[in-house]
Amino acid sequence: MAASLTRAEKARRTRSRMTDTAARLFTEHGWTATTVEDIARAAEVGVQTVYFTFGTKRALLKEVLDIAVAGDPDPLATLQRPWARAVVDEPDPAAQLRLQAAGACDILRRAAPLLEVVRSAAPAEPELAQLWQTNLEQRHTVQLRFAEALVPKTAAGLRDGHDAASAADIALTVLGPETYTPLTAGRGWTPERWQHWSADCLVRQLLP
């Protein structure tokens, strides 16, 4: 049993080393310029170890992105995570929107560089175009659940007649990497400034 646990721990550490290395190389050099051979060499494993563990380069990037979004390798959906449950359970609508912005900021601090890798490569890479679309759909699912929780908390309804669907569209736009990356990486905003701005946008756009 002890030997088995040792092998399992060794495998876990090797997998973690490969994903950490892949995340660094993808963000430093991009999708096309980063090869499986590069990742194997930097992670100090054989090329076949990478292929045996992940199957394809695209599957490796997907796992790296999933870890960055979640903050850990646990297979727990976003809506089941404590921060997301706190958003849904928060009784005050303005406080809920601030929690949404804080949660998005935490995720984008980790994941925005990798999301940019996927987004920039998607036009020429059908597999990455699908990965980008899947990520977009996942983000929309989360924001729609948050919007459905928000609507009953406002006695007068949302501003300008918005319903849960349009509120989710607004949150998806405001809280996405499409705003975070240009303002932080492009214009030098701190993540904290972006978080404050995005929360203020949501409150002004959605609450009466």
Side-chain angles (χ1 to χ4, degrees):
M1 179 66 72
S4 176
L5 291 174
T6 300
R7 286 194 296 273
E9 178 62 17
K10 182 179 179 181
R12 186 194 67 78
R13 292 184 180 183
T14 300
R15 190 184 195 101
S16 179
R17 190 166 71 251
M18 288 188 287
T19 55
D20 289 347
T21 300
R24 177 174 59 81
L25 294 180
F26 282 136
T27 54
E28 288 179 356
H29 305 298
W31 166 257
T32 302
T34 301
T35 66
V36 172
E37 290 76 11
D38 294 333
I39 294 167
R41 187 182 310 111
E44 300 181 342
V45 299
V47 172
Q48 289 307 313
T49 299
V50 179
Y51 281 117
F52 178 79
T53 305
F54 302 101
T56 65
K57 179 180 166 184
R58 188 262 190 195
L60 172 55
L61 176 57
K62 179 183 183 302
E63 181 161 331
V64 167
L65 181 59
D66 287 345
I67 292 170
V69 169
D72 58 57
D74 295 340
L76 186 64
T78 296
L79 287 170
Q80 297 302 315
R81 291 183 173 269
W83 77 267
R85 296 171 68 176
V87 169
V88 172
D89 294 340
E90 170 56 52
D92 179 77
Q96 175 185 324
L97 293 174
R98 288 193 291 271
L99 288 175
Q100 285 178 235
C105 189
D106 286 343
I107 290 172
L108 290 170
R109 284 175 190 261
R110 299 186 299 264
L114 285 165
L115 286 167
E116 180 59 21
V117 170
V118 177
R119 186 203 64 77
S120 62
E125 297 284 348
E127 286 188 326
L128 295 199
Q130 182 57 50
L131 183 58
W132 177 257
Q133 184 62 33
T134 298
N135 177 267
L136 184 63
E137 291 170 358
Q138 290 170 338
R139 286 189 276 131
H140 180 265
T141 295
V142 171
Q143 295 304 333
L144 181 59
R145 177 66 189 94
F146 289 164
E148 290 169 345
L150 178 69
V151 171
K153 299 171 186 177
T154 57
L158 299 182
R159 184 174 181 174
D160 295 335
H162 285 299
D163 58 9
S166 58
D169 293 340
I170 290 170
L172 180 70
T173 301
V174 172
L175 298 178
E178 299 88 347
T179 65
Y180 180 88
T181 298
L183 290 175
T184 56
R187 301 304 306 164
W189 284 30
T190 64
E192 292 78 11
R193 182 182 179 188
W194 178 87
Q195 179 182 323
H196 177 80
W197 168 81
S198 62
D200 185 63
C201 281
L202 293 180
V203 169
R204 290 174 182 269
Q205 287 291 315
L206 297 177
L207 299 187

